[in-house]
Amino acid sequence: MKKYYGIIFAVIYALIFRVLVEFNILEINSIVYLILVPIVMGYLPFLLDPEAFINSGFRVVSFPIAGTILFLIIAFVSRLEDIGCFFILFIPYLIVSLLVSLIIRYFIKVKIDYDRKSVKRSTLFLFIIPIIFGNLEKYAEKKEANYQISNTIIINTPKEVVWGNLFSVPELTNYIDNSVYNYLGFPNPIKSEYNPDTNVRLGYFNNGIILNEKVIKEEKFKKLSFSINVKESKFDDSPTFRHILKKENLVFNSITYNLEAVSESKTKLTLVCDYKMKTNILLYGEYCSKNIISDFENKLLHALKKRIEQ
């Protein structure tokens, strides 16, 4: 059992910091949580058993992998995370902890003469660095960037017919195709219901999310734009969306349908998502958001096409 202490304590360490996120002591969308915590996870096996760690290449590789997977499985089973968060966290946690493990082993093997006790004493401060910097980072201004994602499809019906299906989108369950992102926990739309009295559309998703969307611009048969009221939306069953949207790490400025008549019986429908991100890890956030949103738009447009043309 002792030989697995490196994995066990790395998992416990990561879970402690995940719980700190729930109490708003740290933020999940931060350099501390996505980078510093996995750094310590990669370092823990060496700290607990330097000789065995250095002499076993298998441990150097397998312990960070096992620690990352076990941490995320426990977080998922305990409902701290869902599959979406599992996917988002898996990549940085695995890469960072594995790199740290390999780098430590390389440098320690080069410098064989080291004092185990002095190494432990001089590096224990790494356990409190994430807490200190996490609190500092929480109050620091995040970087902002605006993005726009659009997808287009040709629907073989007049624009008036297409327009009539945009306010209250009909049931799409039997028309939408799953993609790899659905198996990673990201939802598919089911339908939407529009209330003309409040000018609000409720969008229903297959993971229990209900988006409260207000019409902010309407040009009949040409353009229809919505904004998302996050406070009035429901994310109870989705930790991923709760973290991303309610914490305003990602803000949807507008979601717009643009219609253009190709002919009397054909319409070009373009779905445009205008959003901004607030994070200190813009590159990774941009990569994830662009791929997920583009995939969602593409599936929604194709499902609408099948449903309307039926």
Side-chain angles (χ1 to χ4, degrees):
M1 186 69 177
K2 185 178 178 181
K3 64 180 180 179
Y4 297 114
Y5 280 176
I7 296 175
I8 294 169
F9 283 99
V11 171
I12 293 172
Y13 182 85
L15 287 170
I16 289 171
F17 279 90
R18 181 59 189 84
V19 172
L20 292 179
V21 169
E22 289 296 303
F23 287 96
N24 204 33
I25 296 173
L26 300 175
E27 290 187 344
I28 200 166
N29 176 32
S30 64
I31 293 174
V32 167
Y33 189 70
L34 293 176
I35 304 297
L36 282 186
V37 171
I39 283 176
V40 178
M41 288 180 70
Y43 179 76
L44 269 170
F46 163 75
L47 182 67
L48 295 172
D49 196 354
E51 289 89 350
F53 183 77
I54 291 169
N55 294 326
S56 173
F58 176 76
R59 286 192 182 195
V60 172
V61 174
S62 63
F63 275 34
I65 295 174
T68 297
I69 293 174
L70 188 56
F71 156 59
L72 291 173
I73 288 175
I74 293 174
F76 172 72
V77 171
S78 62
R79 300 295 296 163
L80 288 169
E81 307 288 8
D82 57 15
I83 292 294
C85 280
F86 190 113
F87 164 70
I88 292 171
L89 293 176
F90 178 76
I91 297 173
Y93 266 65
L94 180 63
I95 292 175
V96 172
S97 61
L98 185 56
L99 280 176
V100 168
S101 182
L102 291 169
I103 289 169
I104 289 173
R105 183 168 189 257
Y106 172 77
F107 281 104
I108 295 300
K109 282 184 74 69
V110 171
K111 186 181 177 181
I112 299 175
D113 184 21
Y114 69 96
D115 178 359
R116 177 174 176 173
K117 289 184 180 180
S118 67
V119 168
K120 287 187 178 182
R121 285 196 301 267
S122 64
T123 55
L124 283 175
F125 73 96
L126 286 175
F127 292 90
I128 61 171
I129 279 182
I131 295 177
I132 296 172
F133 279 89
N135 277 275
L136 294 175
E137 187 181 7
K138 188 170 64 172
Y139 296 104
E141 187 175 354
K142 293 182 173 64
K143 297 176 183 176
E144 280 192 22
N146 289 287
Y147 304 100
Q148 192 175 87
I149 307 293
S150 66
N151 280 277
T152 299
I153 198 165
I154 301 295
I155 300 178
N156 296 310
T157 56
K159 63 181 180 180
E160 292 81 6
V161 176
V162 176
W163 179 263
N165 286 272
L166 297 182
F167 286 89
S168 292
V169 176
E171 177 82 37
L172 297 177
T173 303
N174 296 326
Y175 300 90
I176 199 157
D177 298 320
N178 285 325
S179 70
V180 64
Y181 289 105
N182 298 122
Y183 298 107
L184 295 173
F186 296 95
N188 277 332
I190 298 175
K191 64 177 182 178
S192 62
E193 298 173 350
Y194 176 68
N195 186 334
D197 296 328
T198 59
N199 207 26
V200 168
R201 183 177 80 167
L202 296 180
Y204 295 86
F205 294 77
N206 63 352
N207 65 345
I209 287 177
I210 303 175
L211 290 184
N212 185 293
E213 305 167 318
K214 187 175 183 63
V215 175
I216 56 174
K217 189 170 185 179
E218 177 184 348
E219 295 179 31
K220 195 169 184 180
F221 306 137
K222 291 182 179 180
K223 177 179 287 189
L224 182 62
S225 295
F226 298 90
S227 66
I228 296 176
N229 186 334
V230 173
K231 290 183 179 179
E232 296 298 324
S233 298
K234 295 182 180 179
F235 306 103
D236 297 341
D237 296 325
S238 178
T240 300
F241 283 82
R242 195 164 62 243
H243 295 149
I244 293 174
L245 297 180
K246 286 207 168 182
K247 297 289 186 179
E248 296 187 341
N249 297 313
L250 186 149
V251 178
F252 288 103
N253 299 318
S254 64
I255 298 170
T256 302
Y257 293 96
N258 291 311
L259 293 82
E260 181 183 340
V262 178
S263 67
E264 289 186 359
S265 60
K266 287 187 178 182
T267 304
K268 182 167 77 171
L269 179 63
T270 302
L271 178 55
V272 182
C273 179
D274 188 282
Y275 68 99
K276 69 178 177 181
M277 294 200 68
K278 293 191 289 185
T279 177
N280 290 326
I281 313 174
L282 273 178
L283 187 62
Y284 186 59
E286 177 185 358
Y287 172 80
C288 290
S289 64
K290 282 186 174 180
N291 281 278
I292 293 168
I293 292 173
S294 182
D295 176 76
F296 178 84
E297 285 187 352
N298 187 56
K299 288 185 301 183
L300 175 57
L301 288 175
H302 279 83
L304 272 172
K305 174 180 171 68
K306 294 176 187 176
R307 184 70 171 83
I308 294 172
E309 290 179 353
Q310 185 185 40

